Amino acid sequence: MRGISHFISEIPVQLEETNQALNILLKKREKDKEELEARVVSNVRELIEPYLEKLKKSNLSPEQEIYLSILDSNLKDISSPFIRSMAIKYAGLTHKEIQVAGLVKEGKKTKEIAKLLNTTKRAVEFHRHSLRTKLGL
């Protein structure tokens, strides 16, 4: 009988160890998910958006402009859930501030950011200042 009671007394310890292992795995999975989301957004910004902007400035036929607009819209739809989850993670930052922060993190200069986001240098400087204030830098 003593063997069974010893076995039963070990169950809570084993359950606690299993629970800790599962928590570690869940945290790792969440971190991997966040890294993937950031990589997708970064790749869209770095590898696709600059070429879309160049295409927008070229002489396109009306039909090509429509296709380009659809492509641009679809890419934004694809990456927006990732940007939203980043916005939740960085609560208090605007969508534009998150975009600017991501590009600054990638080493982009103000002029490059302005071109990529199709805005002015002054607007980027404003967002950079706002980021510094909100992040206490």
Side-chain angles (χ1 to χ4, degrees):
M1 199 67 172
R2 180 175 157 112
I4 292 174
S5 66
H6 177 69
F7 174 75
I8 292 173
S9 69
E10 289 289 318
I11 290 175
V13 173
Q14 291 173 348
L15 288 174
E16 180 63 30
E17 290 171 357
T18 302
N19 192 31
Q20 288 175 352
L22 287 172
N23 283 331
I24 291 169
L25 288 172
L26 284 172
K27 287 177 186 175
K28 170 88 171 95
R29 184 182 177 278
E30 185 62 30
K31 183 179 179 217
D32 290 346
K33 179 183 164 200
E34 289 172 3
E35 288 174 1
L36 175 65
E37 290 172 354
R39 230 179 11 253
V40 167
V41 171
S42 175
N43 285 342
V44 167
R45 285 187 184 141
E46 285 183 23
L47 303 175
I48 298 171
E49 286 181 1
Y51 295 104
L52 289 176
E53 291 306 315
K54 287 181 182 192
L55 278 172
K56 287 177 186 177
K57 295 175 184 174
S58 65
N59 291 328
L60 298 175
S61 71
E63 184 180 21
Q64 289 171 325
E65 287 178 4
I66 291 170
Y67 290 141
L68 181 60
S69 174
I70 292 169
L71 179 63
D72 189 35
S73 175
N74 288 344
L75 277 170
K76 285 180 179 154
D77 287 345
I78 290 168
S79 61
S80 68
F82 300 134
I83 292 172
R84 267 196 298 276
S85 72
M86 289 172 69
I88 292 167
K89 183 178 176 183
Y90 302 106
L93 299 183
T94 67
H95 173 73
K96 241 351 162 195
E97 288 169 342
I98 292 169
Q99 286 180 314
V100 169
L103 292 168
V104 167
K105 184 179 175 186
E106 293 168 14
K108 303 288 187 214
K109 305 290 183 207
T110 298
K111 188 175 179 180
E112 294 171 305
I113 295 170
K115 188 174 183 179
L116 286 169
L117 297 180
N118 198 27
T119 190
T120 65
K121 276 179 52 178
R122 180 70 187 116
V124 173
E125 289 167 354
F126 170 81
H127 291 300
R128 289 179 77 137
H129 175 74
S130 179
L131 280 164
R132 285 187 205 102
T133 302
K134 289 180 178 181
L135 298 175
L137 301 176

